[in-house]
Amino acid sequence: MAAFLTNGLLAEQPYQVSAKFRCGGKDRMIDIYLAQVAKGRDGIKDLIELMRIAQQRYSKVYGCKLAT
């Protein structure tokens, strides 16, 4: 389930990424929010890599296969 955040703490996060993916035949969704990134880092590139790691870890923890 996705939600549109218009106010509150998470709505003010400048770096955020959401991904909907299939794992074990079911739709899943992960949201990642960062308040800031270190100077000199590419925040978007880092969030994309974090999302890939999160999806892989999810599939290992819940024993499901990621759909490609």
Side-chain angles (χ1 to χ4, degrees):
M1 176 185 296
F4 179 69
L5 304 171
T6 58
N7 54 19
L9 180 63
L10 295 179
E12 299 171 7
Q13 301 300 319
Y15 299 98
Q16 53 186 319
V17 64
S18 298
K20 182 178 178 182
F21 61 100
R22 292 190 64 80
C23 193
K26 295 182 180 179
D27 288 333
R28 303 295 183 197
M29 184 158 206
I30 296 177
D31 299 307
I32 299 175
Y33 302 91
L34 299 176
Q36 62 184 21
V37 294
K39 187 177 180 178
R41 299 289 308 190
D42 182 347
I44 302 302
K45 188 175 180 180
D46 289 345
L47 278 170
I48 291 168
E49 187 60 30
L50 281 170
M51 183 56 73
R52 287 186 183 129
I53 293 168
Q55 289 175 346
Q56 291 170 359
R57 291 291 301 142
Y58 183 95
S59 71
K60 287 181 183 177
V61 168
Y62 291 99
C64 59
K65 183 176 179 183
L66 291 174
T68 54

